[in-house]
């Protein structure tokens, strides 16, 4: 089984796949009489012509490292944001697309205080917390289409940190 | 100064003002080969005909109790969701509307694992964490209008737990 090492999540490294949502640097706006910074509109949301935004709650079982990545998926009709509701590191896996096939798998460690938004159609692994509670708010497309393609990786890939 | 006591946040008590987003009871769907529960589409998002959804990040200074509530606001053009990115309790204040004036102020303590979505046009106090980091993802309306009405409470109200 081939192995990849998860890298720290940065805006630059993640740019081909999506957005990093975090309170880093100066806020775009200071509100509430100076008590609150707003980093404004940081996600490229795209739910297509027939979809709309929704907020769902995901609770996922923690996984252990090395993580065996044997399946990636993509949502052709919409972006998908994972917002952790705890201050824990978790794992994100992504891939490039080559004619409908995921290639060049990469893994990132998301640190406390970061959320991510996958751009529409980006290959990614399922939600992968590394510790309890594995609780996330998810902003994704609500609509009538299946909006899911899966691709089984054979052989699987071991992801370490 | 009059005083109100914050109550535990429940779906039923908060229903006139918005939605409680939490992983309670059976999930609507189990995904990812049984590893993840999805509580599906739990927020009434409404950004009007000319707005769209956006995800911003707020970092707010923690407040102390009793909290002096002297200002409430509402967003006439859109709903607004506050999703905590830590497992801390925080304070939500809301009011009914009486001809453009906020009345019948209520306060709720939001526990770890809960997020909320204010319905469009609901009077509410500003984001009020009670401890650091005060970090939240906010799903609200992106658009060209001001989308903000403020109302100063005179005299203010003391909020305790």
């Amino acid at each position: 089984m081939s192995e990849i090492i998860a890298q720290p999540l940065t805006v630059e490294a993640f740019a081909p796949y999506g957005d990093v949502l975090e309170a880093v640097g100066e806020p775009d706006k200071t509100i509430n009489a100076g008590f609150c910074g707003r980093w404004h509109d940081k996600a490229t949301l795209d739910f297509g012509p027939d979809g709309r935004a929704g907020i769902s709650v995901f609770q996922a079982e923690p996984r252990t490292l090395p993580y065996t990545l044997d399946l990636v998926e993509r949502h052709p009709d919409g972006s998908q944001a994972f917002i952790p509701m705890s201050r824990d590191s978790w794992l994100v896996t992504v891939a490039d697309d080559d004619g409908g096939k995921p290639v060049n798998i990469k893994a990132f460690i998301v640190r406390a205080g970061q959320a991510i938004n996958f751009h529409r159609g980006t290959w990614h692994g399922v939600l992968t917390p590394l510790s309890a509670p594995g609780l996330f708010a998810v902003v994704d497309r609500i609509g009538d289409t299946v909006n899911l393609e899966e691709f089984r990786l054979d052989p699987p890939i071991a992801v370490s940190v």
Side-chain angles (χ1 to χ4, degrees), chain A:
Chain A
M1 186 158 43
S2 65
E3 184 174 323
I4 60 173
I5 307 294
Q7 303 296 314
L9 183 73
T10 65
V11 171
E12 295 73 20
F14 198 64
Y17 314 104
D19 312 298
V20 177
L21 316 178
E22 58 186 343
V24 168
E26 287 300 302
D28 297 300
K29 195 175 177 185
T30 299
I31 59 176
N32 303 348
F35 279 93
C36 186
R38 179 178 176 125
W39 285 259
H40 182 70
D41 192 22
K42 304 308 279 185
T44 305
L45 301 183
D46 176 1
F47 305 114
D50 301 316
R52 63 169 175 83
I55 307 177
S56 299
V57 179
F58 282 23
Q59 185 151 35
E61 287 184 32
R63 308 299 183 100
T64 52
L65 295 173
Y67 173 64
T68 301
L69 180 68
D70 58 4
L71 181 79
V72 293
E73 64 183 32
R74 63 177 175 179
H75 308 296
D77 301 329
S79 57
Q80 184 175 49
F82 289 164
I83 301 164
M85 293 179 65
S86 64
R87 290 182 66 75
D88 299 300
S89 292
W90 45 291
L91 189 67
V92 164
T93 47
V94 291
D96 297 321
D97 180 67
D98 182 7
K101 187 181 168 187
V103 295
N104 191 23
I105 307 278
K106 289 190 181 172
F108 297 98
I109 284 286
V110 188
R111 68 172 182 272
Q114 292 181 315
I116 61 103
N117 177 59
F118 294 118
H119 291 161
R120 179 176 173 176
T122 299
W123 288 113
H124 62 276
V126 301
L127 185 58
T128 316
L130 299 173
S131 52
L135 186 69
F136 292 72
V138 176
V139 179
D140 64 2
R141 180 183 185 271
I142 308 299
D144 292 331
T145 59
V146 173
N147 192 24
L148 175 66
E149 288 177 40
E150 293 180 325
F151 192 98
R152 193 155 291 278
L153 300 177
D154 185 15
I157 293 173
V159 181
S160 302
V161 294

